[in-house]
Amino acid sequence: MSRKKMILDLDTGIDDALALAYAIGHDDIDLIGIIATYGNALTNVTAKNSLDLLDLLGAHDVPVFIGESHSSTTTDFTVMPISQAIHGQNGIGDVEVAASMRSVDSQNGIDFLIEAAHQYKDALIYLPTGPLTNLAKALEKDPSIAKLIGQTTLMGGALTVPGNVTPFTEANIHQDPEAADYVFKNQENLTMVGLDVTLRTLLTKKHTQEWRDLGTTAGQNYADIMDYYIDAYYNLDIDKKGAALHDPLAVAVAVDPSYVTTLDLNMQVTYDQESGDYGRTIGDKAKLLEPTISKAAVLVDQDRFVSDFQQMMLKVLA
């Protein structure tokens, strides 16, 4: 297949770091930029993490842009303690990666997304792995991108399983449910890769030992980062069998949809704080008879994906 242009919108924590590496290594992906957002860490920290990891992996030509620093309904942002426990104080497992000498791009991330949508149209994949604030802002500024962007594949939400912040809400959606609702109701060609499938894709220290055995700085750094994540999953009793490959699965699905089984469904996100029905990703009852603009992944070929992911990481980290 011809290479797809991809924009990653990352709140660069640990699984975002894996998604970045996977996108760099994939022969069918031309990574044209990263938009930094808030979530696992503050936006200035996630931008730095992206720059440092890009340079670590030799992707010195991929620019990083600054996106929003807080949700659409707040004026600031504080990292949740659970996010710090899972991703570390610096977002990448408190591992010190060599600092990039590059700076973030002067163009705003939202303007970059809009410009890329007009330039690449169907060839563009936009892939947010954090809150959907940046896409909502871009849609409000230029509604035409809803039809221009070839494909939007997001990591977030939970349709058939409980959330990981509340019984209903997944972390990325929880950061800005209002923005997420706007995106789900407006952005076309959208695929939700949520906890329904990502929680089934687990990486273990057996995998990360193979990264270490490569004998490279990238292999060592990434193994240290991922082992922190695996330990956090174990110690917080999230999963004692390994740690989930949330964000890289979304990247994989964007270029090979056969990894997952999807359900065509027009979706909405609830944001009624009074009732507590806040941040639930669910079918939009008002659009049951309308053509669907979105789909949700509900099953995954986890064995094939985890194997393919490991082979990709061994290639990239070598």
Side-chain angles (χ1 to χ4, degrees), residues 134-214:
N134 290 329
L135 180 53
K137 289 272 188 182
L139 283 165
E140 288 172 358
K141 188 169 184 177
D142 184 351
S144 72
I145 68 169
K147 296 180 183 295
L148 288 175
I149 297 172
Q151 180 192 150
T152 298
T153 302
L154 66 94
M155 191 282 127
L159 186 66
T160 64
V161 297
N164 56 3
V165 175
T166 77
F168 306 112
T169 312
E170 180 275 332
N172 292 331
I173 302 297
H174 179 78
Q175 304 284 15
D176 196 346
E178 290 83 358
D181 184 58
Y182 189 80
V183 166
F184 274 97
K185 289 178 176 175
N186 289 280
Q187 182 62 49
E188 301 195 5
N189 300 318
L190 183 147
T191 300
M192 182 180 93
V193 178
L195 300 180
D196 315 81
V197 288
T198 63
L199 288 174
R200 304 173 195 235
T201 60
L202 299 175
L203 209 73
T204 69
K205 289 189 177 180
K206 180 181 177 183
H207 296 101
T208 59
Q209 184 58 50
E210 293 182 359
W211 303 358
R212 293 185 192 283
D213 292 343
L214 293 170

Side-chain angles (χ1 to χ4, degrees), residues 97-117:
V97 175
S100 171
M101 300 302 292
R102 296 193 293 143
S103 300
V104 295
D105 198 276
S106 59
Q107 185 179 25
N108 176 271
I110 284 128
D111 292 335
F112 167 66
L113 172 57
I114 292 170
E115 185 179 281

